[in-house]
Amino acid sequence: MAAINVDENFLNRIEGALDTIRPYLEADGGNVKVLEVTDEMVLKLELLGACGSCPMSAMTLKAGVEQAVLRAVPELVSVEAINLTPIDG
């Protein structure tokens, strides 16, 4: 499988998808920052502000952030946050 070139257009598509959900994250005092796209086409994000310590951040990441990004950038395989708060239970 050929590697996809992660160019400025590709990153702009990712940021555009994130921009559609940022108002909801910001309303709760959080945000996300793109760190890298791995060779395996995994988008690595950092959860910022309240998102970094929120117990619902895993759900927000999977149900909100990942779905928005994968719809806009289907070349990606998944979205991961480097600083997810584990859900106690």
Side-chain angles (χ1 to χ4, degrees):
M1 184 165 136
I4 295 174
N5 183 21
V6 179
D7 60 11
E8 187 174 342
N9 178 52
F10 188 79
L11 293 174
N12 284 340
R13 288 169 48 215
I14 292 170
E15 287 291 345
L18 292 173
D19 285 345
T20 66
I21 58 156
R22 277 195 169 105
Y24 304 104
L25 300 174
E26 291 168 349
D28 287 331
N31 207 335
V32 292
K33 175 178 150 187
V34 174
L35 297 178
E36 69 171 322
V37 176
T38 70
D39 291 339
E40 294 79 28
M41 296 307 290
V42 175
L43 174 62
K44 300 273 187 168
L45 299 173
E46 180 178 5
L47 300 174
L48 304 173
C51 288
S53 59
C54 176
M56 297 302 288
S57 59
M59 186 179 297
T60 300
L61 180 75
K62 289 295 175 190
V65 176
E66 183 174 61
Q67 293 307 308
V69 172
L70 293 182
R71 269 195 306 275
V73 190
E75 300 92 330
L76 292 171
V77 174
S78 69
V79 178
E80 295 177 3
I82 60 148
N83 60 331
L84 262 185
T85 301
I87 297 175
D88 295 330

